[in-house]
Amino acid sequence: DSVDVFVTHAWSSPWWQRYLTLLIHFYWRPAIITMVAVGIVAFLLDLLNLLPTVRAAPLSLWDMKVDTACWYPVPALAGLFVLFLSPAIAHWRQGGPKVFLDVVCINQAEEELKVEGVQSISGFLNKSRSMLVLWAPQNLSRAWCVFELATFIALHGDHHVIWCPIFLYSISFIVLVGYVLYVITLVAES
């Protein structure tokens, strides 16, 4: 049996950044498809005057007045909803890739089983098709992260290594949430 993705990460990086990176990496497609589909439907319904006509105060951007409709945050909210719901759907459907994530795959409670799991890491790396590096600056200063990466590259080459900088994934998520909150604030003020 094989593992589709071996996830390597530094424990010292914030848990929420690692979680968001995994979430976005594995489930960005359904979230984007939902945002685009809901956006197109809402735009068409607005063109046909089938959505509420409540408009927020015009937004002034570089001497331009831009109307903001009350439904503007709906596509992004729908995408966020799908993003956070996708792992549950994948689990329910028993779909998605087989992922090795040490905190889940290695017993953290019983010391003897933990040691066995750690000693089996190279076996897991050998059976893994790709490696997902949740990259943070501290990764390459952590001996364990370097060991996992070097072992995987020695076994499979570097063309199966996927680098995901957790800082950039976190920033993209924060920007999206910031946009949604900003538009909701504009709508609430009108």
Side-chain angles (χ1 to χ4, degrees):
D1 210 12
S2 64
V3 174
D4 296 317
V5 182
F6 185 100
V7 178
T8 185
H9 62 97
W11 280 93
S12 57
S13 55
W15 70 267
W16 63 272
Q17 287 184 334
R18 288 180 281 147
Y19 176 73
L20 285 177
T21 302
L22 288 172
L23 199 62
I24 293 169
H25 177 78
F26 286 111
Y27 301 110
W28 69 269
R29 287 175 187 86
I32 294 292
I33 290 168
T34 300
M35 279 190 229
V36 170
V38 171
I40 289 170
V41 169
F43 176 74
L44 293 174
L45 290 173
D46 189 49
L47 279 179
L48 297 170
N49 292 319
L50 296 174
L51 285 178
T53 56
V54 176
R55 299 248 179 229
L59 176 62
S60 181
L61 292 173
W62 304 285
D63 297 328
M64 294 181 349
K65 296 289 184 181
V66 179
D67 281 341
T68 53
C70 61
W71 57 266
Y72 280 7
V74 171
L77 286 170
L80 286 171
F81 179 75
V82 167
L83 183 67
F84 282 97
L85 191 62
S86 289
I89 292 170
H91 178 72
W92 174 68
R93 291 183 50 229
Q94 296 178 351
K98 291 182 186 174
V99 176
F100 178 92
L101 182 60
D102 56 3
V103 71
V104 178
C105 298
I106 295 177
N107 191 313
Q108 302 294 312
E110 297 180 41
E111 195 61 34
E112 189 175 308
L113 292 175
K114 186 177 185 177
V115 169
E116 279 182 37
V118 168
Q119 290 173 342
S120 302
I121 290 288
S122 57
F124 286 111
L125 287 163
N126 188 39
K127 295 288 188 180
S128 299
R129 293 188 190 134
S130 65
M131 173 176 268
L132 180 66
V133 180
L134 303 185
W135 188 82
Q138 60 268 34
N139 280 65
L140 298 180
S141 65
R142 309 285 302 164
W144 194 252
C145 295
V146 173
F147 165 76
E148 290 174 341
L149 184 60
T151 303
F152 185 85
I153 290 173
L155 292 168
H156 302 287
D158 63 355
H159 55 281
H160 294 288
V161 178
I162 304 159
W163 294 86
C164 293
I166 63 173
F167 178 74
L168 292 178
Y169 278 69
S170 303
I171 290 296
S172 63
F173 179 80
I174 291 167
V175 166
L176 178 62
V177 170
Y179 162 76
V180 170
L181 294 174
Y182 177 70
V183 174
I184 288 172
T185 302
L186 286 176
V187 171
E189 289 176 354
S190 63

